[in-house]
Amino acid sequence: MAMAALSSPLALSNSHYYNNKNYTFKASSLKQRTTLLPVLHHRDRTFRIRCTSDAGAALLLNFEAVMKECNARGVKLPLDMVDAAKITGIRQLFLHRYFQLQGSNLVMSFLMKHIPMLRTRMLADPSFLFKLGTEVFIDILCTLVAEYLQRRGDFWNEIHLVIGDIVVGIIPLVIVVTNLSPIARFGSYSYDSESLLGGIQHTIASLPGSVFEAERPGCKFTLKQRIATYFIKGALQGIMAFLSALIGQGFLNVIMMNSKRYSYVNMPTLNKTAALWGIFAAVSSNTRYQIINGLELLFEASAIGKIPNIAKFFSFIVRFINNIIGGMQFVEWAKWSGVH
């Protein structure tokens, strides 16, 4: 039962409790940067959990404390965060990150308020958009260079095919990076465990974002879960990459078939190309990006990695190298499978 406690010692006094059906929390009014020892009462059991208040990661704010901080800043939370605050509470770290990110600029404010998929990832890893943007930028740059070297004088005449190739390549890339990113979990969500769909949802929801995702207060993973993550995430990425390639390559084939310029060109086999993308994403991409997440985690935990710009530079370098390796692997896979 991985439940940490409570509310910020700055926001709550001795009279503040967090209550739900089975749990009662109490937080003492302690000074900032001291150790908080909350007591969790569950029926006839009592568990003492040690956490620190330095980063606010272990501090679980109840609904009243969350609303108090929101009202003080004039911020309105999205409905899913309001529901989480009512049911399980919200960790102070995630709440303060939301305040900071939604107030940074208009674009970020829109993303944080209206796109939950990005919001949960940005709260868990504020550099998520940087990493995703880095991947897209590197992929576009490398693709343009490769396409130009291949087409030479026909590059601008075939720019629509170049753009199509870029889109077909970017979609699986975005899927992989997003699928393996850590997610801010506001609390436990119930599924109908008796149904097959509910069981699958519960299993997937309990897994880490990637094999090496760091544990946080209230968010622990077993070795079996980490091993299962590699295979389940790989399978999901393979399926999504197959479907996106099926649509993207199909669109490119239609363009080429309706153009006299490419009447002599042998069209790539659609199902075979999509299958290649799916297998490549499930095996090669999944493995490489799992390793990248682990390397970034180790570096960010070091003293020099705590400097944001240096951490971003490290991320850019390892992802650039990974893109080169991935491109070389894909070419070899395509030659081996006959899709080239």
Side-chain angles (χ1 to χ4, degrees):
M1 185 178 302
M3 292 284 292
L6 249 66
S7 179
S8 166
L10 299 180
L12 296 182
S13 65
N14 287 336
S15 61
H16 284 74
Y17 293 82
Y18 183 96
N19 298 296
N20 65 16
K21 294 180 180 178
N22 295 320
Y23 304 98
T24 302
F25 300 97
K26 182 177 180 179
S28 300
S29 56
L30 304 176
K31 293 182 180 180
Q32 193 176 17
R33 302 185 64 83
T34 60
T35 300
L36 180 65
L37 294 175
V39 179
L40 172 117
H41 302 282
H42 179 260
R43 296 177 186 156
D44 58 342
R45 298 181 183 180
T46 300
F47 305 88
R48 186 171 293 275
I49 306 169
R50 178 176 291 274
C51 57
T52 71
S53 61
D54 286 340
L59 302 178
L60 189 65
L61 303 182
N62 63 14
F63 179 72
E64 290 76 14
V66 170
M67 291 298 102
K68 181 179 180 180
E69 294 211 22
C70 290
N71 293 335
R73 293 170 171 81
V75 175
K76 184 178 180 181
L77 291 180
L79 291 178
D80 60 331
M81 292 185 69
V82 173
D83 291 338
K86 292 179 180 178
I87 299 172
T88 60
I90 297 180
R91 299 198 177 277
Q92 186 188 57
L93 176 65
F94 293 153
L95 184 64
H96 286 184
R97 277 183 180 171
Y98 179 82
F99 292 151
Q100 181 181 9
L101 291 170
Q102 68 86 33
S104 57
N105 56 67
L106 291 177
V107 175
M108 186 62 69
S109 177
F110 176 83
L111 295 177
M112 295 299 292
K113 291 177 181 178
H114 303 291
I115 305 182
M117 181 189 72
L118 288 178
R119 178 170 64 246
T120 55
R121 286 165 172 80
M122 288 294 292
L123 292 179
D125 180 9
S127 62
F128 167 71
L129 281 184
F130 170 80
K131 294 174 181 178
L132 182 61
T134 296
E135 287 288 347
V136 172
F137 171 77
I138 293 173
D139 188 76
I140 291 176
L141 179 63
C142 293
T143 302
L144 286 174
V145 172
E147 293 282 354
Y148 179 78
L149 293 177
Q150 180 182 1
R151 302 177 190 274
R152 295 291 183 176
D154 292 329
F155 180 82
W156 293 109
N157 294 328
E158 299 177 351
I159 190 64
H160 55 293
L161 294 180
V162 174
I163 295 174
D165 286 341
I166 290 174
V167 173
V168 171
I170 284 179
I171 293 176
L173 175 66
V174 172
I175 290 172
V176 170
V177 175
T178 303
N179 192 37
L180 294 182
S181 62
I183 300 175
R185 294 171 171 86
F186 296 116
S188 57
Y189 298 90
S190 61
Y191 299 96
D192 182 9
S193 58
E194 296 182 357
S195 66
L196 177 61
L197 179 60
I200 294 175
Q201 288 178 318
H202 176 75
T203 299
I204 294 177
S206 65
L207 296 177
S210 64
V211 173
F212 302 106
E213 179 178 342
E215 292 185 342
R216 299 183 296 273
C219 187
K220 308 294 182 182
F221 308 109
T222 65
L223 179 60
K224 290 182 179 180
Q225 285 178 312
R226 294 184 182 279
I227 294 174
T229 294
Y230 176 81
F231 293 100
I232 293 178
K233 293 281 186 172
L236 290 175
Q237 289 163 192
I239 293 172
M240 290 185 286
F242 172 82
L243 294 176
S244 62
L246 195 66
I247 297 172
Q249 189 61 53
F251 180 71
L252 287 178
N253 286 1
V254 170
I255 293 177
M256 295 176 70
M257 285 188 295
N258 292 329
S259 175
K260 295 181 180 180
R261 182 183 181 87
Y262 309 105
S263 59
Y264 64 92
V265 178
N266 293 325
M267 299 296 163
T269 305
L270 187 58
N271 292 337
K272 198 171 182 179
T273 302
L276 174 66
W277 273 108
I279 296 173
F280 185 80
V283 180
S284 175
S285 298
N286 180 43
T287 302
R288 287 183 288 107
Y289 280 98
Q290 297 279 8
I291 294 173
I292 282 180
N293 287 351
L295 291 175
E296 288 180 337
L297 178 65
L298 287 174
F299 185 79
E300 290 169 1
S302 66
I304 192 173
K306 297 185 184 303
I307 303 174
N309 289 337
I310 294 181
K312 289 180 179 180
F313 179 75
F314 175 83
S315 181
F316 180 87
I317 294 300
V318 295
R319 290 176 183 275
F320 182 80
I321 295 173
N322 170 68
N323 198 284
I324 299 298
I325 295 174
M328 295 171 61
Q329 283 187 348
F330 187 80
V331 170
E332 294 301 320
W333 281 46
K335 289 180 179 179
W336 174 77
S337 63
V339 182
H340 183 60

